[in-house]
Amino acid sequence: LSTIKICCKNSFLFTIITLASSNSLVFWALCGRYVLGHEAMRRMGTANVLIAGMRGLGVEIAKNVILSGVKSVTVQDEGLAEWMDFSSQFFLLASHLGQNRALSSLSRLSALNPHVHVSAHTGPLKETLLQQFQVVVLTDSSLDDQQRFGTFCHSNGIKLIVADTKGLCGQLFCDFGEEFEVLDTDGETPASAMIDHITKADPGVVTCIEQRHGFVDGSTVSLSEVCGMTKLNSYGPVDIKVLGPDSFSICDTSSFSEYKKGGVATEVKKSKILQFKPLDEALVDPELLVMTDYGKMTKHQTLHLAFQALHGFVKRVGRLPKPRSQSDAELLVAMVTELNKVSHLDQLDEDVVQSLSFTACGDLAPVNAFIGGLAAQEVMKACTGKFTPLQQWLYFDALECLPEGNGGEGEELTESTCSPRGSRYDGQTAVFGSGFQERLGEQKYFLVGAGAIGCELLKNFALIGLGAGEGGHITVTDMDSIERSNLNRQFLFRSQDIGVREKQKSEVAAQAVRVMNPNMNITAHQNRLDPDSEQVYGHTFFMGLDGVAAALDNVQARVYLDGRCVQHQRPMLEGGTLGSKGHTLVVVPHLTESYGPAKTGSQNAIPLCTLKNFPHRIEHTLQWARDQFEGLYKQAAEHVNLYFRDAAGFLERTLSRGEAEALEVLECVWGGVGGQRPQGWEDCVGWARRQWETLYNNDIAQLLHCFPSDQLTRSGLPFWSGAKRCPHPLTFDPSNTTHMDYVVAAANLYGQIYGIVGTRDSSAIRSILETVHIPAFTPKSTVKIHLTDKEMEEERESGHLDTGRLEELQKKLSSPPVNSAALQMHPIDFEKDDDNNFHIDYIVAASNLRAENYDIPTADRHKSKLIAGRIIPAIATTTAAVAGLMCVELYKLVQGHRKISSYRSSYINLAVQYCVLSEPLGPQRFTVSDRSAHTHTVPSMHKGTQRKEQRKVCSKKRELSGPHLQFASDVMPGLLCSMEQWPHWNLEQEWALAN
């Protein structure tokens, strides 16, 4: 196979290859390049990975790595499938009992990504086998093997990852060699800031226009577009010292010419070299322990010894400690105590060792999902050099999942109640007992969303047996169909499911998990969750539930679902991801804080005046292009159709919205009804050409007429300075690709809303353009251009507009055409994933032309699609980890835990291996009639009134705009974690994270 070309299509990186056996070209998708980028994806495509052990943890890692798009994955396992495996190994079927686990999983692993070569090895691990791979992952391995192969891998430049889970505890270790280069430490977009002033001094001080420049001490920046002190433009990267939120110092500028205006400071990302110790040395270095829960430091230090002792126990006894065996627990405690004579821990937590012994035989899907997600992310780091790897040990425990007071409300946990029964849940029964398994099966849960997190949750539900018993049930709803861009992270779907109307996400996902667990009682719906669906999901429905899981893609839906759960006193599990970042939240009635009302998010909105007249970033021109698309090809057509259905009612409703808005809408309707309506394809091309002239020449000329390039403010300063870039008009050139791209896309979209068939034939379109008349344009002195949104709003409220034109349009539209049925239009909904529909073509061309007007660096198709398509990057690793943590909390809910200290909210960033779990907030209290009450006790009432009342009692003043990303003690009480310890968390993207 020889790689010919790399191109972008349908949100994927496609590699065009020539097959040696034929001349056909095959396009295939590799993975979510929106998170990793081109270079990282190229490196992934050359990596060969070995994953040893195909129990639940091994198959979880393999699934995530295969979805990521490496060159090949070899799965190794000598063992045979047994009932104990079925509690977490989701690719085993009952027919595989007694057969090799690697071979049994091979076909379904291969189906995950046909572009990754997947093979199985059923023999023992040997050094000669390991030499064939760049990355080796050991799961379910002995300490002797870990040390032997660790030494071999370290000396041979092979990256080693060791992952292990035992019941409710997990372990992860990485060794990437003596020198490992990290090309991009965090994957964040380089920070940039517009410059307001630069002093002539040693060092020079740069003051930025923005209140927060986003740089930190030691950052390296490059300066460009500086006028006056032009030497800085070619000076090269310079290290800075932060002086304040809007200023920093650079090099000696005292000999440079005076600064005049302009300039952009852009962060220059630098690579980093990391050193790793081999496993033998790292085993005795306590400094290499990375915390995941700062309230469990002693526990995790103890677990480091306990896992070593557990290997010694197996070596001595020939098996893991029996569930709930007191004698085995005493032996393990004694072995850990012996190890501590060398390690000298200040505090050894014997309760943790005992709990590990009681549960080590267990094999839990949620714990495997979390550790498996983290381990797979480390594989991707090892392959690509992208993101900062784990250095070097990480421990995780969810021992608070154990019943509060042994059996809690259920049976007492003993060796008998936790013993295997020849059931697919034996791995879970070993931890929680048979009585809890029955309780899980009786649960009735509502899952909202069957996308990336929804697929992972359903997989976990099937493995743990949620709703799979008598009286139990899962209801899942998702109104979306399956798209190609889903396949790299929504692992329940396959390429044959794409574009099939009958194969909605919820139905396909339900069918897939029935294969994993034939006992699943699950019903798939295709309903949107909103007030319109309350006839389906009403009071009776919610009161029949035991809980709700939210796997939604927008904040508004989460807020609505949260309100319904609060109203009906039902617990809710909630999680979200943004690339390598993720969060989880558990809402327990009367015990924890609810999701709460949505913030407006207006503080991050782009001012309208910036979009209309003063853009200075590519994000501004892309948003402007999206607004143009919505206005020209959707809203205009919708207005015309509403007018045709009920002309009198439409006019009345439109006029009631205010004269300014009414004038805009009626002008739009008259354009689709009157003489401007196109009669054929030539008219569409002519319209597109005139639209180009209006937007990129005439409007800019008018703006410069109102504010010439040498305009001064009242204080004598240049008007075009700071964030205001002085634009220049463009001259249409049919030989310019971007100019023609705009006309082709705009004309075809315009034709579509009128039912006129267009073409991509540029030569034919050029011929039509030769006949198009472009009216001469003369700027008007009467036009007023607003400098702020406030000015714009005051102008609209003042009523200073052409009322004569409004009355004229009313008269013209008072009687609709007799043939209105034939004049119906076809509104276009923006769709980012179809590269043949002209949508992204239009956005890219429209945005880049406007960027050229204002001398803003343009964006390629990939970046434009990411921003304008509002794509929320997602990868399988983060999704799996988040779903695993959500289901850990599910264990606690089903058991009825009533201690808030038992629950955890989580915030993770796998790019830099930050995994912080903390106790959630309690519900806010208020007083009614001298009685204390919680926000969760809002009585049933009309939903509008109920939301108002919730806002009164639930709203809190917060530093940040999102409801769940509070890094101070507001959300993490007792957590020693300052903002400086979270430098890689992009707070400006917190709302995107919720998606």
Side-chain angles (χ1 to χ4, degrees):
L1 304 181
S2 60
T3 301
I4 298 177
K5 180 182 179 183
I6 295 179
C7 65
C8 175
K9 185 176 182 181
N10 291 340
S11 303
F12 281 73
L13 180 66
F14 276 70
T15 303
I16 306 177
I17 64 160
T18 298
L19 298 178
S21 59
S22 71
N23 292 323
S24 63
L25 291 178
V26 181
F27 291 80
W28 61 38
L30 293 180
C31 191
R33 71 192 186 101
Y34 287 116
V35 178
L36 298 178
H38 294 290
E39 178 60 22
M41 287 305 305
R42 185 192 66 77
R43 290 172 177 245
M44 288 277 287
T46 64
N48 301 302
V49 180
L50 171 67
I51 301 174
M54 277 295 107
R55 293 183 185 272
L57 178 58
V59 78
E60 183 71 48
I61 298 170
K63 177 257 292 181
N64 296 332
V65 171
I66 291 168
L67 288 173
S68 72
V70 295
K71 180 180 179 181
S72 75
V73 172
T74 298
V75 293
Q76 181 274 342
D77 200 320
E78 298 178 76
L80 306 180
E82 55 188 8
W83 278 121
M84 186 68 75
D85 300 321
F86 282 71
S87 61
S88 65
Q89 221 287 19
F90 45 86
F91 281 162
L92 289 181
L93 305 176
S95 59
H96 293 143
L97 283 167
Q99 299 181 25
N100 180 272
R101 285 187 291 254
L103 289 175
S104 298
S105 308
L106 183 61
S107 63
R108 298 179 75 188
L109 284 171
S110 298
L112 289 171
N113 190 341
H115 320 301
V116 176
H117 178 68
V118 184
S119 59
H121 181 80
T122 59
L125 285 180
K126 294 182 179 179
E127 283 83 353
T128 53
L129 175 66
L130 270 58
Q131 283 180 323
Q132 304 172 30
F133 303 94
Q134 287 79 51
V135 185
V136 171
V137 183
L138 301 181
T139 71
D140 194 32
S141 56
S142 68
L143 183 59
D144 289 341
D145 281 350
Q146 292 172 14
Q147 292 175 310
R148 177 162 63 97
F149 295 131
T151 300
F152 176 81
C153 289
H154 190 86
S155 60
N156 285 273
I158 301 169
K159 282 77 174 177
L160 175 71
I161 297 167
V162 176
D164 198 6
T165 58
K166 291 293 184 287
L168 288 163
C169 300
Q171 173 194 59
L172 188 62
F173 170 79
C174 291
D175 172 16
F176 290 177
E178 294 290 341
E179 287 191 356
F180 180 76
E181 184 179 15
V182 181
L183 302 175
D184 184 347
T185 57
D186 56 18
E188 299 292 345
T189 301
S192 66
M194 298 189 69
I195 296 171
D196 184 54
H197 185 69
I198 305 174
T199 64
K200 284 187 65 174
D202 183 15
V205 174
V206 178
T207 306
C208 301
I209 294 171
E210 292 93 342
Q211 291 184 349
R212 298 190 65 87
H213 48 59
F215 304 127
V216 297
D217 261 346
S219 292
T220 300
V221 303
S222 64
L223 304 176
S224 60
E225 303 181 40
V226 177
C227 295
M229 201 176 282
T230 55
K231 191 172 182 179
L232 285 174
N233 295 328
S234 57
Y235 191 85
V238 57
D239 292 334
I240 69 168
K241 181 179 180 180
V242 173
L243 303 177
D246 63 346
S247 62
F248 55 87
S249 63
I250 52 174
C251 57
D252 181 1
T253 61
S254 57
S255 62
F256 296 172
S257 53
E258 288 287 343
Y259 171 83
K260 291 183 179 178
K261 65 176 182 177
V264 177
T266 304
E267 178 187 11
V268 177
K269 300 197 117 183
K270 296 181 289 187
S271 62
K272 186 177 182 181
I273 302 296
L274 300 179
Q275 290 82 34
F276 290 80
K277 292 184 177 181
L279 190 142
D280 273 342
E281 295 180 26
L283 205 60
V284 294
D285 190 344
E287 299 299 321
L288 298 178
L289 208 59
V290 175
M291 289 294 128
T292 59
D293 191 325
Y294 286 83
K296 296 182 176 181
M297 295 180 69
T298 301
K299 285 186 177 181
H300 291 177
Q301 290 168 347
T302 300
L303 280 175
H304 186 59
L305 298 182
F307 266 80
Q308 296 175 51
L310 203 56
H311 287 291
F313 185 101
V314 173
K315 192 173 182 179
R316 180 188 301 185
V317 182
R319 58 170 174 79
L320 286 167
K322 294 178 182 179
R324 291 287 155 177
S325 170
Q326 190 62 44
S327 59
D328 284 355
E330 291 172 357
L331 175 57
L332 188 65
V333 169
M335 296 175 72
V336 172
T337 302
E338 188 66 26
L339 286 174
N340 195 39
K341 291 179 179 179
V342 177
S343 298
H344 303 296
L345 291 183
D346 294 334
Q347 186 177 350
L348 189 67
D349 194 331
E350 294 188 1
D351 289 340
V352 167
V353 181
Q354 178 173 271
S355 295
L356 177 64
S357 179
F358 284 167
T359 60
C361 268
D363 193 16
L364 303 176
V367 178
N368 285 333
F370 177 66
I371 296 296
L374 269 59
Q377 187 70 54
E378 296 307 308
V379 172
M380 295 166 67
K381 295 174 186 176
C383 294
T384 64
K386 179 100 177 208
F387 304 150
T388 301
L390 169 68
Q391 291 186 278
Q392 292 186 254
W393 291 101
L394 179 145
Y395 287 90
F396 167 78
D397 84 87
L399 294 172
E400 67 275 0
C401 287
L402 292 172
E404 295 174 342
N406 194 14
E409 298 177 4
E411 64 187 347
E412 181 180 356
L413 298 183
T414 64
E415 289 188 54
S416 174
T417 58
C418 296
S419 62
R421 286 162 168 71
S423 159
R424 64 169 51 251
Y425 308 119
D426 278 353
Q428 190 164 255
T429 302
V431 177
F432 296 111
S434 55
F436 175 69
Q437 190 59 55
E438 292 179 9
R439 236 186 302 170
L440 273 171
E442 296 166 355
Q443 295 292 300
K444 298 180 179 67
Y445 256 75
F446 183 30
L447 172 60
V448 187
I453 294 178
C455 283
E456 292 289 340
L457 287 174
L458 282 174
K459 175 256 292 179
N460 293 340
F461 290 173
L463 293 171
I464 70 177
L466 185 74
E470 184 176 351
H473 194 268
I474 302 293
T475 302
V476 56
T477 187
D478 193 308
M479 63 178 297
D480 289 342
S481 56
I482 300 165
E483 300 174 357
R484 187 169 300 279
S485 59
N486 301 146
L487 301 185
N488 73 328
R489 62 197 183 277
Q490 300 177 20
F491 83 108
L492 297 181
F493 308 140
R494 301 291 178 267
S495 57
Q496 60 265 29
D497 300 324
I498 298 170
V500 182
R501 176 168 293 187
E502 295 77 15
K503 292 190 173 183
Q504 297 292 103
K505 280 186 177 181
S506 58
E507 187 58 50
V508 174
Q511 292 173 0
V513 295
R514 287 192 195 100
V515 174
M516 293 180 185
N517 185 348
N519 298 322
M520 285 290 286
N521 304 312
I522 184 168
T523 301
H525 293 175
Q526 289 80 44
N527 302 318
R528 184 192 300 274
L529 191 76
D530 58 19
D532 293 337
S533 63
E534 288 184 10
Q535 58 183 348
V536 179
Y537 310 119
H539 176 76
T540 302
F541 175 81
F542 271 91
M543 293 307 293
L545 297 173
D546 292 295
V548 173
L552 290 157
D553 62 358
N554 65 87
V555 172
Q556 290 73 27
R558 280 179 165 91
V559 171
Y560 172 76
L561 179 59
D562 174 66
R564 300 288 283 162
C565 290
V566 168
Q567 182 180 2
H568 295 94
Q569 303 293 290
R570 291 296 175 262
M572 182 179 79
L573 297 163
E574 197 276 324
T577 69
L578 173 65
S580 61
K581 304 184 184 84
H583 83 278
T584 65
L585 176 78
V586 58
V587 179
V588 188
H590 306 289
L591 189 66
T592 71
E593 186 182 46
S594 71
Y595 190 94
K599 305 289 182 178
T600 63
S602 59
Q603 66 184 49
N604 293 324
I606 303 171
L608 288 177
C609 286
T610 298
L611 291 178
K612 288 174 67 68
N613 300 308
F614 308 114
H616 55 269
R617 294 180 181 274
I618 195 65
E619 289 82 2
H620 301 160
T621 66
L622 283 164
Q623 182 60 55
W624 176 87
R626 271 301 303 270
D627 292 346
Q628 289 286 317
F629 184 99
E630 294 293 320
L632 294 172
Y633 307 121
K634 182 179 181 181
Q635 294 170 2
E638 289 176 339
H639 289 323
V640 170
N641 290 345
L642 288 171
Y643 165 74
F644 283 147
R645 288 176 201 160
D646 178 16
F650 174 79
L651 288 173
E652 182 181 351
R653 290 192 301 273
T654 301
L655 291 170
S656 69
R657 293 155 69 176
E659 292 183 340
E661 187 173 350
L663 182 59
E664 292 177 12
V665 172
L666 296 187
E667 286 282 15
C668 178
V669 172
W670 179 245
V673 175
Q676 298 178 29
R677 190 179 180 97
Q679 301 303 307
W681 172 238
E682 290 78 9
D683 290 344
C684 296
V685 175
W687 174 88
R689 173 65 184 88
R690 289 187 292 273
Q691 190 74 10
W692 189 102
E693 195 70 18
T694 298
L695 296 175
Y696 305 112
N697 187 307
N698 301 349
D699 288 353
I700 301 300
Q702 180 65 61
L703 179 60
L704 289 173
H705 177 77
C706 295
F707 302 106
S709 59
D710 57 356
Q711 175 91 7
L712 299 178
T713 65
R714 292 178 180 176
S715 57
L717 298 174
F719 175 84
W720 294 105
S721 62
K724 292 186 177 68
R725 289 174 173 261
C726 185
H728 62 274
L730 303 182
T731 301
F732 184 78
D733 180 2
S735 64
N736 185 301
T737 302
T738 309
H739 294 199
M740 282 301 296
D741 285 348
Y742 177 89
V743 171
V744 172
N748 275 279
L749 291 168
Y750 193 63
Q752 288 175 23
I753 63 176
Y754 289 102
I756 297 172
V757 179
T759 179
R760 286 184 179 272
D761 188 343
S762 296
S763 60
I765 294 173
R766 283 194 185 92
S767 298
I768 299 173
L769 288 174
E770 293 176 0
T771 66
V772 176
H773 171 66
I774 304 299
F777 174 75
T778 302
K780 299 180 178 62
S781 299
T782 56
V783 172
K784 180 177 181 181
I785 293 177
H786 304 101
L787 299 181
T788 66
D789 285 6
K790 184 178 180 181
E791 279 186 21
M792 186 183 301
E793 187 61 30
E794 289 174 350
E795 176 77 12
R796 293 172 69 93
E797 293 176 355
S798 68
H800 295 158
L801 74 160
D802 190 349
T803 54
R805 176 58 177 167
L806 181 60
E807 293 173 359
E808 179 187 355
L809 289 171
Q810 283 183 255
K811 188 178 296 184
K812 288 181 176 180
L813 294 170
S814 58
S815 300
V818 293
N819 60 338
S820 59
L823 298 178
Q824 286 283 324
M825 295 177 67
H826 310 281
I828 299 175
D829 288 313
F830 181 75
E831 170 52 57
K832 67 184 183 300
D833 288 323
D834 182 355
D835 277 0
N836 297 314
N837 62 9
F838 298 100
H839 297 192
I840 290 295
D841 295 343
Y842 177 86
I843 295 297
V844 175
S847 170
N848 283 342
L849 286 168
R850 188 162 176 82
E852 187 179 347
N853 277 137
Y854 286 86
D855 293 317
I856 298 170
T858 58
D860 61 14
R861 187 181 184 89
H862 163 61
K863 183 176 180 179
S864 298
K865 180 186 282 192
L866 176 65
I867 298 173
R870 300 181 179 122
I871 295 172
I872 305 301
I875 47 178
T877 51
T878 316
T879 304
V882 163
L885 290 174
M886 291 173 71
C887 288
V888 166
E889 300 306 302
L890 176 62
Y891 281 144
K892 305 167 187 177
L893 290 175
V894 175
Q895 291 183 89
H897 281 7
R898 295 309 304 164
K899 294 179 181 177
I900 195 170
S901 58
S902 295
Y903 292 95
R904 290 292 183 273
S905 295
S906 67
Y907 303 87
I908 64 176
N909 185 350
L910 302 190
V912 289
Q913 205 51 278
Y914 281 159
C915 304
V916 177
L917 289 82
S918 64
E919 183 180 309
L921 281 176
Q924 190 171 5
R925 296 179 177 273
F926 60 100
T927 301
V928 177
S929 300
D930 297 324
R931 293 185 179 182
S932 180
H934 303 99
T935 57
H936 286 294
T937 58
V938 178
S940 177
M941 61 182 77
H942 183 272
K943 56 181 178 291
T945 306
Q946 188 255 327
R947 295 311 297 159
K948 290 179 182 177
E949 291 303 312
Q950 266 192 279
R951 290 188 180 95
K952 290 180 183 178
V953 299
C954 294
S955 61
K956 295 178 70 175
K957 293 181 180 179
R958 302 191 177 187
E959 293 289 329
L960 308 176
S961 62
H964 300 131
L965 298 180
Q966 318 302 314
F967 294 95
S969 59
D970 187 37
V971 155
M972 300 182 182
L975 178 62
L976 302 176
C977 180
S978 67
M979 287 297 294
E980 286 73 20
Q981 292 173 288
W982 286 77
H984 304 290
W985 197 289
N986 189 341
L987 299 179
E988 293 180 359
Q989 292 179 335
E990 57 182 308
W991 278 103
L993 171 64
N995 291 340

